[in-house]
Amino acid sequence: MVMLETIQAIAEPTRFSILRMIRWDEMSAGEIAGRFKNITRPAVSQHLGVLRKAGLISERRAGTSRMYSLRPEGFAQLKVLLEDFWDPRLAKLKALAEKDEKQRRRKK
């Protein structure tokens, strides 16, 4: 269920944009909302809530502001899932490339 929540949170374009904005630097909710021209501040707050609930971002208070930053550990299960798809294929590709290289060396 956590994996599905993560994928659904990332799949929405506005939320994906927010994740890209804060991937390196912490930003306030106001700064994030200010980057969107066609989305209201309450809508941005809702998106931040979804991302926080999914464990992808963290929130902290700084005076009257709420600051948001990326939680890399929130992507851990997604990373494992993607690696499960790619690692066997990459291993197979590596084995084929090594086999091809050995055949080339024998022909020389």
Side-chain angles (χ1 to χ4, degrees):
M1 187 64 166
V2 172
M3 178 63 66
L4 181 58
E5 192 173 43
T6 300
I7 292 170
Q8 288 174 335
I10 292 170
E12 202 286 325
T14 300
R15 291 192 288 265
F16 188 75
S17 293
I18 291 170
L19 291 171
R20 290 183 56 94
M21 280 181 215
I22 64 172
R23 70 179 170 211
W24 305 117
D25 295 315
E26 182 179 61
M27 292 177 72
S28 71
E31 289 174 306
I32 294 167
R35 300 259 180 114
F36 293 99
K37 303 301 177 213
N38 300 323
I39 302 172
T40 64
R41 283 181 183 250
V44 170
S45 291
Q46 287 181 333
H47 286 300
L48 290 167
V50 170
L51 291 169
R52 193 170 41 81
K53 185 178 178 207
L56 300 173
I57 65 173
S58 61
E59 173 190 275
R60 73 174 181 85
R61 290 198 177 266
T64 59
S65 296
R66 290 181 186 210
M67 303 300 291
Y68 293 90
S69 59
L70 195 71
R71 289 188 67 246
E73 60 273 17
F75 294 84
Q77 287 183 331
L78 181 59
K79 182 178 183 261
V80 168
L81 174 72
L82 294 174
E83 286 172 347
D84 284 346
F85 278 103
W86 287 107
D87 285 352
R89 287 170 178 80
L90 291 174
K92 186 175 181 179
L93 180 61
K94 179 182 176 197
L96 289 171
E98 289 172 348
K99 181 180 176 183
D100 187 52
E101 181 63 26
K102 285 179 186 177
Q103 288 175 348
R104 286 184 196 173
R105 287 182 184 168
R106 286 183 194 152
K107 289 180 181 179
K108 288 183 179 182

